[in-house]
Amino acid sequence: MTDTVIPASKATTGTPVIVPGRWRKLALVVAPLWADNNESSVLSTLAPVIVQAVAAPAAAVGYLTSIGKFISIVCGPLWAWIARRTNRKIAFAVASGLAGIATAATGLAQSYTQLIILYGVSAVFIAAALPIASEITADLFDDAARGRANGYTWGAISLLGSVLGPIIGQLSRVPDGWRYGFFAWGAVTVLTAVLLAVFFDDPAVGASEVAAPTRQGEDSRITWTKVRQMLRIPTFVLMLIQRLISGHLLIMSFGIVFLVHTYGFSTAVASIVTLPFGIGYLLGTFGGSLATDFLQSRLPRIGRIIVLQFAQLGFGVVALVGTQHDWGGIEVFAGFWAVLGFMQGLNPGVNRPIVAAVVPPEMRGAAFALLLSVFEALAYALFNLAAGLLTDVIGLRGVMLWIPGILMLVNAAFCTILYRTYPRDVERQRALLIEQARPAAAG
């Protein structure tokens, strides 16, 4: 894609700055984010054979995923802080490279204990990807284009991961094939880190804003004072809670295990649903982000909230229908998984722009760390832990009924509150940016 560069002087007159080469830079950021984000797909796809190989309990995938997410709750904000105190590019590249090495080492585990330790170590470095990449994306794209940028990002990530899903699933037919999965994914992650380190040029913090970009340094440091300021933004607080009750996250980690244990599919066959899920997710992110930006341009006060609420409601309804009945062949389940992917794919193109629109540029790194590395990770961890514990009590079908199903209907109802807070917070942030731009214009 070709970008037309708007002179920086127009940044003080209300015209957004278009960062040169922003799509190329986004691609370089997406590569390690994709590798880090999909590392868990090896675990979730090959969970049945991994559990057998290391003599782990049946609920091991839930426990491992929970451990990884609990680690990211601590390490995500820590990496965001390190990136701001040092250099975002270097921090991201180093963390991704170490994540690749740790991922490859996970394939050497000889026992359940070793698997826990090695998977936990990889989680320490994987935690850097989400907050750093999300902040950089917000700096590369202005408010009008952030929906598309995030949609394209997560659509590409999901599609690539889903295409590889059935391939990874075939490793279940190979003796110790799961180990090769971790080895290969670790190598890919290291490669993406090298590409980031060599070719990426980091934009300034707030580079796409109306106000002049904020330089990394004393004024942009993450402090508890700024965190407290973020928590005074009603929309941001509501988005944190909304992510905390996002039960759709369970589908990614427990979907294949659910199909294997509840409806009797083999791991290789059940893994087929990852492809239609990824295609659906791609359509949700690409098409949904375009629709979101269009609707936002027509209904700037509530357009994004409409899409966000629709995504949660649609996912809950489809999850209830698709998981609570034995539909026979994998083809029918694949169809439901495609729709679930579409509904889930609507989220990245709308929730990130919502947060970016109400949080000042210099605080976005901390904001995305809280949203994605703390609250989303906490939800992911708790849901997977609960699924592991509740499986013996109510079964996996009951788990799917309550978490991806009923809880998502509650989530949709909760989003109604945003119709009141979002317009006010957007106007407040816009006024603040214009006020900050006036001294630059006078100078």
Side-chain angles (χ1 to χ4, degrees):
M1 298 185 184
T2 303
D3 295 320
T4 302
V5 180
I6 296 178
S9 59
K10 291 189 178 182
T12 59
T13 64
T15 302
V17 176
I18 296 182
V19 179
R22 57 184 184 172
W23 292 104
R24 177 184 58 80
K25 293 177 181 179
L26 179 64
L28 290 169
V29 171
V30 168
L33 178 62
W34 161 69
D36 289 344
N37 187 74
N38 280 293
E39 182 265 353
S40 60
S41 67
V42 177
L43 174 65
S44 59
T45 302
L46 297 175
V49 294
I50 294 175
V51 166
Q52 184 178 7
V54 298
V61 63
Y63 300 150
L64 285 167
T65 303
S66 299
I67 290 170
K69 292 302 178 181
F70 279 127
I71 289 173
S72 73
I73 291 172
V74 176
C75 295
L78 178 61
W79 278 110
W81 179 81
I82 291 173
R84 278 298 185 88
R85 292 287 292 176
T86 56
N87 180 288
R88 289 192 300 191
K89 169 184 172 178
I90 294 175
F92 195 5
V94 169
S96 295
L98 293 174
I101 295 172
T103 296
T106 303
L108 300 174
Q110 299 298 314
S111 66
Y112 183 40
T113 300
Q114 291 179 13
L115 183 65
I116 291 175
I117 294 173
L118 292 170
Y119 193 79
V121 171
S122 69
V124 171
F125 304 110
I126 289 172
L130 267 178
I132 298 177
S134 297
E135 183 187 23
I136 291 175
T137 301
D139 292 332
L140 287 172
F141 295 88
D142 60 272
D143 185 69
R146 283 184 190 131
R148 282 178 291 139
N150 282 283
Y152 295 166
T153 293
W154 290 100
I157 288 173
S158 179
L159 179 63
L160 291 171
S162 297
V163 168
L164 289 174
I167 298 175
I168 293 174
Q170 299 311 306
L171 292 174
S172 64
R173 304 179 186 273
V174 179
D176 284 334
W178 65 274
R179 299 185 188 277
Y180 302 139
F182 279 112
F183 295 157
W185 210 265
V188 169
T189 304
V190 171
L191 176 61
T192 62
V194 172
L195 292 175
L196 180 74
V198 175
F199 296 107
F200 181 68
D201 182 20
D202 192 359
V205 175
S208 63
E209 298 301 327
V210 172
T214 303
R215 294 183 179 180
Q216 294 188 146
E218 186 70 23
D219 292 338
S220 63
R221 289 184 303 172
I222 298 173
T223 65
W224 284 112
T225 299
K226 291 180 179 179
V227 171
R228 288 194 295 268
Q229 290 175 354
M230 285 189 298
L231 295 179
R232 295 192 187 106
I233 303 172
T235 296
F236 180 67
V237 174
L238 291 173
M239 289 300 293
L240 294 179
I241 299 173
Q242 190 270 333
R243 296 310 287 170
L244 196 59
I245 57 176
S246 294
H248 61 69
L249 300 171
L250 195 67
I251 287 290
M252 293 183 291
S253 56
F254 261 83
I256 293 175
V257 175
F258 166 74
L259 292 174
V260 169
H261 288 280
T262 304
Y263 296 122
F265 296 106
S266 68
T267 300
V269 172
S271 65
I272 292 173
V273 301
T274 62
L275 180 56
F277 182 90
I279 294 173
Y281 195 99
L282 177 70
L283 294 175
T285 52
F286 277 40
S289 60
L290 292 174
T292 299
D293 287 346
F294 175 80
L295 190 59
Q296 178 68 13
S297 67
R298 297 297 185 272
L299 300 170
R301 294 176 60 84
I302 61 173
R304 286 173 176 154
I305 310 305
I306 292 174
V307 176
L308 182 70
Q309 187 171 47
F310 172 75
Q312 317 316 308
L313 177 62
F315 191 98
V317 171
V318 176
L320 288 173
V321 176
T323 66
Q324 297 305 302
H325 178 73
D326 186 351
W327 295 98
I330 195 65
E331 299 83 2
V332 180
F333 285 103
F336 281 114
W337 254 246
V339 181
L340 290 173
F342 175 81
M343 293 298 175
Q344 190 168 337
L346 293 174
N347 283 280
V350 65
N351 57 27
R352 274 86 165 164
I354 286 175
V355 171
V358 300
V359 174
E362 66 273 13
M363 299 182 189
R364 285 187 191 137
F368 286 123
L370 285 175
L371 179 71
L372 304 174
S373 297
V374 177
F375 279 78
E376 181 176 301
L378 180 61
Y380 207 159
L382 292 177
F383 291 147
N384 278 275
L385 184 61
L389 296 173
L390 291 175
T391 295
D392 294 334
V393 180
I394 62 176
L396 276 173
R397 184 180 293 181
V399 169
M400 290 296 174
L401 169 69
W402 284 100
I403 299 180
I406 293 175
L407 183 60
M408 289 305 293
L409 300 182
V410 174
N411 192 316
F414 177 81
C415 290
T416 304
I417 307 174
L418 290 165
Y419 287 107
R420 180 176 180 86
T421 65
Y422 179 70
R424 293 183 304 186
D425 290 335
V426 168
E427 288 302 321
R428 186 181 299 114
Q429 174 60 19
R430 184 175 296 143
L432 177 62
L433 287 172
I434 293 174
E435 182 67 25
Q436 291 175 345
R438 285 174 181 168

